[in-house]
Amino acid sequence: MSQTSRAALVIFAAAAVAGACNFLSSGTGQTTSNIANVAGAVACPALASGGDALGVKYTAKAELNAKVGAFVQAAKDLQRLAMQWDSEVTSACRRIGGDIGVNPAAMQPNQNSTASQAACGAVSARVQGMLKGGVKIEADYTPPKCDVDASARARCDGRCKVDVDPGEIVAQCTPAKLSGRCQGTCKGQCDGRCSGQCQGECAVKDAQGRCAGKCEGTCTGQCDATCHASCQGTWQAPKCEGRVTPPKVDADCKASCEASVKFSARCSQPKLSVKTSSEAQALGKLVASLSANLPVLIAAQVKLGREIGGEVQTLVRLGGELRGKLQGAGEQAIACVTAAASAVATASVSINVSFKASASVTGAVGASGKAG
């Protein structure tokens, strides 16, 4: 492993440990994760770049390369989603708090809370205080609908189809049914120019009587086109007329693809109706603010809970399993899987925090969903 790669992994490992120990004690919940993100980018540039992580070469092993690329891309998409919803949930709660008179200082994070926890917790406490004495609020909503990008899924799944290894084709195919370009001596039919002995009809012969053209029969010598049956040397682009394991879709790779498209799915806004049993001015402001901002919190709950909860757990599992499949894969694959797995762990914590923060407010007003 190069000195640069070792240094990157040392920085990354330190940040990952810090993230695991200090994420929830960070004032905003972002400082530590930002350090981990920077360290991850040093160890694995594909994790931080704006490009397609699926197209990066991490290892010479084709099947493993597809696994790593899809996993890194899913980790990138999850990171982006976690940052997006942390910001949106925090902003929505702060807007509600500002509208109903919550002290701004009470919505600021401290050693024991993140930004979304602090803002939404203060709003939830204020709302519960306003609804004492029999005052009720009814907040009914039709849940948002999320649609995945079918073309994005197809592109990712396509990368997960791993072609049969050329060596596997040669090993599995009956020699008489094997063909391809031969780097060496062809002992079989030559579809191009045969330079050597032709047991059969030769289109052109040289001055010494050796075949120097197409051989309709068996060529024993160099063949500059497709050689059939036998090659003493290395096959290029071998094909088998018999049965060989066809291209397959790797299950781990496909699972990462499914996670990516779920993370990137577009969701409609929930339809919301807010009513109150009181017309007091303070509640009028609350109703207006909830009507404007509660859809964001509802969308966060649906997206972060129902829509992607299973995929997040799948990525956490894959991160652990992939690290056990990297023997001989090379330092780039190891660095990127390690960085992506840590990014998934950090993002999953952030998503859980955002989900619970939004639920604290929707629960305080008794928001309930109904079929669309």
Side-chain angles (χ1 to χ4, degrees), residues 310-322:
E311 280 67 32
V312 172
Q313 292 305 310
T314 295
L315 283 191
V316 171
R317 173 183 61 80
L318 285 177
E321 292 178 354
L322 268 178

Side-chain angles (χ1 to χ4, degrees), residues 239-252:
K239 297 179 182 179
C240 185
E241 297 172 13
R243 186 173 182 179
V244 173
T245 306
K248 57 185 178 180
V249 176
D250 181 82
D252 291 345

Side-chain angles (χ1 to χ4, degrees), residues 290-345:
L290 290 177
S291 298
N293 298 296
L294 201 60
V296 173
L297 303 182
I298 293 170
Q301 283 185 261
V302 173
K303 178 75 174 182
L304 304 183
R306 186 184 73 191
E307 291 294 322
I308 69 164
E311 280 67 32
V312 172
Q313 292 305 310
T314 295
L315 283 191
V316 171
R317 173 183 61 80
L318 285 177
E321 292 178 354
L322 268 178
R323 281 178 286 188
K325 300 176 181 179
L326 297 177
Q327 185 174 1
E331 62 183 51
Q332 180 70 6
I334 294 172
C336 282
V337 168
T338 302
S342 185
V344 167

